[in-house]
Amino acid sequence: MASHRKPRPGGTTGAGIRTPALATAALTSMAMLSQTAEAAPRTDHAKPSLEEVEKKVDDLYRQAESATEKYNANKERTGKQRSRVDALREEVARRTDRLNKAREELGTFAAAQYRTGAAAPDTATFLLADSPQDYFDQSQLMNRLTSREKRAVDDYIGEQAATMKKRREAAESLRTLTDSQHDLQTAKTTVQQKLASARELLSRLTAQEKARLAAIEREKQQEAARKAAELAKRQAQQQSDSSSSSSSSSSSSSSSSSSSSSSSSSSGSGSAGSTASGAYDTKAEKAIAFARAQIGKPYVWGATGPDSYDCSGLTQAAWKAAGVSLPRTTYDQVDAGTTVSLANARPGDLIFFYDDISHVGVYIGNGMMIHAPKPGAYVREESVYYGGESIIHSVVRPG
């Protein structure tokens, strides 16, 4: 369904958008933090062109954002695994305590047998055996024990088996946690290296090159704004056509007296659909209001607010404000709702980008979205075509 919002006033700059010059300045101001660039050396030792630098920087930022989502996924998985390890350790401690108590009770029976003068107390032999269960299977011990002693033996064997099982589970979970922690550190290092390389490349630009780069960015923004306006027109036309079709269908239905019951049923179904649509719009308004309030806050990889965000951290927080729980990463958020076409996008829908689904923004209507763009930038309102039409992956309506 098309957006119900009225088209935005003319102009190519949305609320919260930083001018290209300022955005570039914000990036270059971080050059002191840079490390060795990853760009491959040119064989002719010539300085790369501005276009080559721009493409390399964009690629590095995209790679950094992709690595950020992998970092987010590893961090979430590591947290869950750490909780499991802690829970298993507590369970092992409780079972070990019960096992010790069961062993102590069997020990009292062994001591009693010893006091009677038995040469080889059965219970003592049982306790000293490498495998008490094997000893039990190979003897007639149970035939000579009282009911109380039998219960003690059963408790001991049961607790021993359960404790050993939990210890194995804890050991395996600990190994898995260690592997995940390694993956987490690898993802973190990758992000840092990509950002350092991008900063290094930008730090080499002259003032004239920075001005040219800002001009290129302005041209891209203007083209993106033009495409956003076209999308807004298509959505408005589609909404108008849909409304006309609905009105025509309703009029035809009411003029046919022979289908009154069917008309009543259809009206009820339409009412239910309208109610569901209204409920979604209400939640979407809250999500958008939250996202809009974050405009101007910096993109920080791995951040979920309240002072900074990465792309999926922002969308998760926005929909949480509307009472809807979204997964942490873009890879999971893309499956947390119903996929719709871009032409049918409604305010509040999530728009995903790139083949690896490494970026996401909140659609606000009229071809615009609010998103946390990339490192060095700020949460802002921008055309969904900010990087070109080809990078749009899908649109998902949370539900």
Side-chain angles (χ1 to χ4, degrees), residues 318-376:
W319 271 99
K320 182 179 180 181
V324 176
S325 178
L326 292 181
R328 174 64 182 94
T329 68
T330 53
Y331 314 130
D332 292 325
Q333 288 182 10
V334 74
D335 294 322
T338 303
T339 300
V340 298
S341 67
L342 181 60
N344 288 324
R346 287 163 55 184
D349 291 351
L350 302 180
I351 303 203
F352 295 88
F353 300 86
Y354 304 108
D355 291 339
D356 61 356
I357 320 175
S358 57
H359 188 66
V360 63
V362 180
Y363 190 60
I364 60 175
N366 297 310
M368 305 294 287
M369 67 176 175
I370 296 175
H371 68 149
K374 60 185 178 181

Side-chain angles (χ1 to χ4, degrees), residues 91-349:
E91 179 66 14
V92 167
R94 287 193 295 269
R95 288 191 175 279
T96 299
D97 184 59
R98 289 199 293 266
L99 181 63
N100 289 336
K101 290 179 179 178
R103 184 183 289 112
E104 289 173 1
E105 186 170 5
L106 285 178
T108 61
F109 299 145
Q113 288 181 2
Y114 180 78
R115 286 194 297 271
T116 63
D122 287 329
T123 306
T125 304
F126 171 81
L127 286 171
L128 295 174
D130 291 335
S131 174
Q133 182 63 55
D134 289 344
Y135 174 77
F136 163 69
D137 292 339
Q138 298 169 9
S139 71
Q140 301 298 319
L141 172 63
M142 295 301 287
N143 294 331
R144 298 195 298 273
L145 296 180
T146 66
S147 59
R148 181 185 175 193
E149 291 172 331
K150 289 178 180 178
R151 284 195 301 273
V153 170
D154 289 341
D155 289 345
Y156 179 81
I157 292 175
E159 286 297 339
Q160 184 187 51
T163 301
M164 292 303 295
K165 179 181 179 181
K166 288 299 179 182
R167 283 175 179 169
R168 287 193 295 270
E169 288 181 17
E172 180 60 29
S173 292
L174 186 58
R175 283 193 293 271
T176 301
L177 173 60
T178 301
D179 291 342
S180 294
Q181 288 174 327
H182 174 73
D183 292 342
L184 182 65
Q185 183 58 45
T186 298
K188 180 178 181 179
T189 300
T190 299
V191 173
Q192 293 171 330
Q193 289 175 341
K194 300 297 182 184
L195 295 181
S197 298
R199 292 164 187 155
E200 174 66 18
L201 286 173
L202 288 171
S203 71
R204 297 175 184 174
L205 297 179
T206 65
Q208 184 179 11
E209 288 172 330
K210 292 173 184 176
R212 285 176 54 202
L213 184 60
I216 292 174
E217 289 296 327
R218 280 195 298 272
E219 291 177 1
K220 287 183 177 180
Q221 285 192 345
Q222 289 170 357
E223 176 62 15
R226 183 186 66 78
K227 289 185 176 181
E230 291 179 353
L231 175 61
K233 289 180 181 178
R234 291 198 303 272
Q235 290 179 333
Q237 184 61 51
Q238 184 167 314
Q239 180 183 354
S240 176
D241 292 344
S242 177
S243 298
S244 297
S245 175
S246 177
S247 298
S248 176
S249 175
S250 176
S251 175
S252 175
S253 177
S254 62
S255 66
S256 177
S257 59
S258 61
S259 58
S260 59
S261 60
S262 174
S263 175
S264 175
S265 175
S266 174
S267 175
S269 175
S271 176
S274 177
T275 300
S277 177
Y280 178 80
D281 290 342
T282 298
K283 293 178 181 179
E285 287 177 3
K286 293 180 180 179
I288 292 173
F290 179 92
R292 198 179 299 282
Q294 312 314 308
I295 288 176
K297 293 184 179 180
Y299 176 107
V300 174
W301 63 274
T304 57
D307 299 320
S308 57
Y309 298 87
D310 62 21
C311 66
S312 57
L314 175 64
T315 52
Q316 183 188 47
W319 271 99
K320 182 179 180 181
V324 176
S325 178
L326 292 181
R328 174 64 182 94
T329 68
T330 53
Y331 314 130
D332 292 325
Q333 288 182 10
V334 74
D335 294 322
T338 303
T339 300
V340 298
S341 67
L342 181 60
N344 288 324
R346 287 163 55 184
D349 291 351

